[in-house]
Amino acid sequence: MSQQDLSSGTNTPVNSNVLDKEEEVAHASLPQKGFKDYILISFFCLLVAFGGFVFGFDTGTIGGFLNMTDFQERFGEVNAEGEHYISDIRTGLIVSVFNIGCAFGGIFLSKVGDVFGRRIGLMFSMVIYVVGIVIQISSQTHWYQVMVGRIITGLAVGCVAVLSPLFISETAPKTLRGPLVCCFQLCITLGIFLGYCICFGTKDLSDSRQWRVPLGLCFLWALFLVTGMVFMPESPRYLVEKSKIEEAKKSIARSNKVDSEDPFVYAEVELIQAGIDREALAGSASWKELITGKPAIFRRVVMGIMLQSLQQLTGINYFFYYGTTIFQAVGLEDSFETSIILGTVNFASTFVGIYIIERLGRRITLLGGSFWMFVCLLIYACIGSLRLFVNGHEGETYEASGNAMIFITCLYIFFFSSTWAGGVYTIISESYPLRIRSKAMAVATAFNWLWGFLISFFTPQITNAIHFYYGFVFAGCLLFSFFYVYFFVSETKGLSLEEVDELYAAKVAPWKSPKWVPKGENEAEAGDV
């Protein structure tokens, strides 16, 4: 591997002293740490991961709001029979504009985390979030006020979706990085589940408390996250990058329950500094570097965009945003109850994902998820299109077919939540060098929001036109995702953030990457012989 390959974006040769220093520190003998030594840092990372709860709670409540009588009377229209309803266009806008806000928030607001630190960035996002909730909860009869409020809350959630996984990946030890980043997804599923439960509990109220109570609880979630950030140590990588070495030492020491003068702390700071020094030789990072940077930065950015896009194209938000509506179509009298079942499966399955992401690795996890979700959606679409309705696509349905579709949906959500849900965030959070990490993650996440907008906006119109044939579209996307992961996604399990750069510099084929060993480990093994 040439020194030029290790540069971050120009032809400036890397100082050999920096490389020697990095290798020397990387091979330093660090103390073996047991489970108890990781409890505190894991708790800190869980505080950061709670940002995912904010996102999940919105996902779990908005579908319920659209089916609540008071919400329909205030923000809907009246049909020829005098019944209140919310049109497909209005439904699509209320649900989907949140994703547009998320896209802009991820790209632009996340810069606050680069300038003022990850902690300040997350606290700032919660201030924006509260503003959006106030606008929504104070709405009386104007549906577009709800829409504006959702755009503003989307700005905040988009920022959180970039900064939370980024913060965790920079703080967590590499042996726990995968599971801890997956905890962000765990909090999303917890938010979805509690959102379903709270909507179920308020749906029978006779006034605006139906939807204002769930919205009001959002103030509590924002307060909890801000309080957690007060006690959370700042990212040591951010502090070293800003030349705040003493603060970085204190952050590492606090997270690992050791003294700030412990040799372990010095070794960690030196390793981070060596990586930053290597990257800094190329100058300040720009947006252009996402295309021209080395090693293989553009390839990694495209991979992030594709994975985040395909996560949406699995069809998961088709079920989460419109779950209550979907299960009304299969003949259920109380579709809110089914939503709670789906939320429970989604939440419980994420624990499986936390386990297998490190056990099986990133590639196998995604490949298995793509295959089994493809099978589930194929069955779901076939039953819904051919065996659900007694006459045409309206009216009476076969109970057995409806029950089968609910079961298949639960199975599908299990495979999504245990694979692609956390797996994508894990890969994205550990695939980029520090200098461009927030920019690359913001761009990739923006595509997730973009596809979320398109799916949530057009789903009501599409389902009215082709009904459950829509499932075949997502099944086709899942088939494509299997081959994309196999040929284009490299395995990053067990690698430090600096070793990921080495992997791409070595130009290892993705399907061979699980067997690749970093240069330092090869030399260590040779020395032991």
Side-chain angles (χ1 to χ4, degrees):
M1 178 172 56
S2 68
Q3 290 180 356
Q4 183 173 334
D5 287 334
L6 286 170
S7 71
S8 296
T10 71
N11 292 327
T12 306
V14 177
N15 189 316
S16 61
N17 291 332
V18 173
L19 294 177
D20 292 342
K21 177 182 177 184
E22 187 171 350
E23 290 184 5
E24 178 183 345
V25 175
H27 302 153
S29 177
L30 299 179
Q32 293 294 321
K33 303 179 74 63
F35 173 75
K36 292 182 179 179
D37 297 308
Y38 290 128
I39 292 178
L40 183 62
I41 192 170
S42 297
F43 173 74
F44 285 146
C45 288
L46 284 173
L47 290 178
V48 178
F50 186 79
F53 181 94
V54 176
F55 170 38
F57 192 76
D58 179 271
T59 303
T61 54
I62 188 58
F65 291 170
L66 295 173
N67 287 278
M68 289 178 175
T69 55
D70 186 81
F71 197 87
Q72 291 175 346
E73 290 172 3
R74 288 174 180 270
F75 308 115
E77 303 168 72
V78 180
N79 61 21
E81 288 76 30
E83 299 172 332
H84 289 87
Y85 76 104
I86 300 178
S87 66
D88 291 341
I89 295 294
R90 194 169 294 188
T91 295
L93 285 172
I94 290 175
V95 175
S96 64
V97 292
F98 176 80
N99 293 276
I100 293 297
C102 289
F104 281 96
I107 292 176
F108 298 110
L109 287 189
S110 62
K111 288 295 295 178
V112 176
D114 286 342
V115 178
F116 299 103
R118 316 315 189 203
R119 295 167 63 247
I120 298 300
L122 287 172
M123 287 190 279
F124 171 75
S125 69
M126 287 300 97
V127 174
I128 303 298
Y129 180 74
V130 166
V131 171
I133 295 300
V134 168
I135 293 174
Q136 291 181 70
I137 206 170
S138 61
S139 302
Q140 295 296 328
T141 57
H142 302 301
W143 70 272
Y144 47 83
Q145 183 175 340
V146 177
M147 186 180 72
V148 171
R150 284 182 57 75
I151 292 175
I152 294 174
T153 55
L155 291 171
V157 171
C159 180
V160 169
V162 172
L163 291 182
S164 286
L166 174 66
F167 198 174
I168 296 171
S169 70
E170 292 178 350
T171 307
K174 70 178 183 179
T175 54
L176 293 176
R177 191 173 64 234
L180 289 175
V181 172
C182 280
C183 285
F184 178 74
Q185 177 63 29
L186 178 66
C187 287
I188 292 177
T189 61
L190 178 60
I192 293 172
F193 172 67
L194 287 183
Y196 285 154
C197 291
I198 291 170
C199 284
F200 178 76
T202 63
K203 67 182 177 66
D204 291 328
L205 298 175
S206 58
D207 52 24
S208 64
R209 289 178 299 167
Q210 285 181 330
W211 54 276
R212 281 193 169 125
V213 168
L215 273 179
L217 288 172
C218 293
F219 296 116
L220 179 62
W221 316 144
L223 179 63
F224 182 86
L225 184 59
V226 169
T227 303
M229 289 307 97
V230 171
F231 297 99
M232 176 72 188
E234 183 56 86
S235 161
R237 280 185 169 83
Y238 165 80
L239 293 172
V240 172
E241 185 185 31
K242 298 297 183 181
S243 300
K244 299 179 179 180
I245 304 302
E246 288 303 315
E247 292 182 36
K249 288 166 56 180
K250 292 178 182 177
S251 175
I252 295 172
R254 185 180 175 192
S255 297
N256 291 274
K257 295 179 67 176
V258 296
D259 189 84
S260 60
E261 302 302 317
D262 192 284
F264 168 78
V265 174
Y266 277 93
E268 286 291 292
V269 170
E270 289 292 306
L271 181 58
I272 294 170
Q273 183 67 67
I276 292 174
D277 288 345
R278 183 191 66 196
E279 295 166 356
L281 291 172
S284 60
S286 64
W287 288 99
K288 180 182 177 182
E289 191 170 325
L290 297 184
I291 299 175
T292 62
K294 296 180 181 178
I297 296 299
F298 181 66
R299 172 186 157 192
R300 289 190 256 180
V301 170
V302 171
M303 180 200 69
I305 290 172
M306 290 298 296
L307 288 181
Q308 289 282 24
S309 299
L310 288 169
Q311 189 191 58
Q312 281 290 335
L313 290 170
T314 61
I316 188 63
N317 280 333
Y318 162 63
F319 294 102
F320 285 149
Y321 283 139
Y322 299 105
T324 52
T325 304
I326 291 169
F327 291 108
Q328 282 177 350
V330 300
L332 290 175
E333 294 183 1
D334 192 343
S335 53
F336 283 90
E337 293 181 359
T338 305
S339 294
I340 292 178
I341 295 173
L342 297 185
T344 304
V345 173
N346 184 38
F347 177 62
S349 304
T350 308
F351 288 98
V352 179
I354 292 174
Y355 174 76
I356 68 174
I357 194 70
E358 283 300 327
R359 185 82 176 188
L360 302 180
R362 286 48 163 162
R363 278 173 54 85
I364 294 297
T365 297
L366 294 188
L367 288 170
S370 293
F371 175 78
W372 289 112
M373 282 191 289
F374 167 76
V375 172
C376 289
L377 269 179
L378 209 58
I379 297 172
Y380 173 90
C382 286
I383 296 175
S385 303
L386 304 174
R387 300 294 301 171
L388 177 61
F389 294 99
V390 177
N391 296 305
H393 290 288
E394 299 292 341
E396 188 179 356
T397 59
Y398 292 109
E399 183 178 353
S401 296
N403 291 337
M405 290 181 70
I406 295 171
F407 173 76
I408 291 297
T409 300
C410 290
L411 203 57
Y412 162 84
I413 289 177
F414 167 79
F415 288 121
F416 173 82
S417 298
S418 60
T419 58
W420 274 75
V424 169
Y425 282 111
T426 301
I427 292 175
I428 299 304
S429 70
E430 62 190 15
S431 290
Y432 306 112
L434 178 64
R435 298 176 63 255
I436 57 96
R437 186 173 298 132
S438 63
K439 288 185 174 69
M441 288 180 64
V443 170
T445 306
F447 274 81
N448 185 293
W449 301 125
L450 174 61
W451 281 105
F453 165 77
L454 294 173
I455 291 170
S456 57
F457 180 76
F458 288 109
T459 286
Q461 296 94 300
I462 293 174
T463 52
N464 280 340
I466 62 175
H467 305 283
F468 290 101
Y469 286 103
Y470 197 20
F472 291 117
V473 176
F474 295 123
C477 293
L478 282 165
L479 184 61
F480 170 79
S481 72
F482 180 90
F483 291 102
Y484 181 83
V485 170
Y486 183 83
F487 288 108
F488 294 102
V489 177
S490 296
E491 180 60 70
T492 52
K493 171 190 172 184
L495 301 179
S496 70
L497 299 178
E498 289 73 27
E499 289 167 344
V500 172
D501 263 3
E502 185 182 340
L503 168 67
Y504 280 95
K507 298 181 179 180
V508 178
W511 55 90
K512 295 181 180 179
S513 61
K515 297 182 179 180
W516 179 79
V517 179
K519 179 182 177 182
E521 291 186 19
N522 273 325
E523 292 178 352
E525 290 176 3
D528 292 337
V529 175

